[in-house]
Amino acid sequence: AHERLDLSQALGIIVQACSALGYAHREGVIHRDVKPANIFLSESNEKRTVKVVDFGLACALTGNAAQKLTRTGVLVG
């Protein structure tokens, strides 16, 4: 069973997920498959940590790779 999150909890999860994706972007990696199933919550000592997982469709933004990103109407995976 899933617990219902209040607004503060939900925003905390969103902020952590965006921070993780921002870090990946700064390192030149685009996730390309962000969805709820790829955002894991880990709890220890009543602290909730967000982990963004499954970079299987990720794309590195270096050289020609940046020009090969998925385009509208193209099926990937």
Side-chain angles (χ1 to χ4, degrees):
H2 298 290
E3 69 178 87
R4 186 167 179 85
L5 301 174
D6 64 30
L7 180 59
S8 176
Q9 292 170 317
L11 288 175
I13 291 168
I14 291 167
V15 167
Q16 285 189 57
C18 288
S19 177
L21 292 168
Y23 176 82
H25 289 185
R26 287 188 302 279
E27 295 298 314
V29 177
I30 303 299
H31 189 283
R32 300 194 324 157
D33 193 24
V34 178
K35 59 187 175 187
N38 289 338
I39 298 176
F40 282 16
L41 304 179
S42 173
E43 294 189 45
S44 63
N45 299 329
E46 297 189 25
K47 180 181 177 191
R48 181 175 284 150
T49 303
V50 174
K51 298 180 181 191
V52 178
V53 299
D54 193 2
F55 279 76
L57 293 178
C59 179
L61 290 178
T62 58
N64 291 333
Q67 297 172 357
K68 295 180 183 177
L69 291 175
T70 306
R71 290 179 173 70
T72 302
V74 176
L75 182 62
V76 176

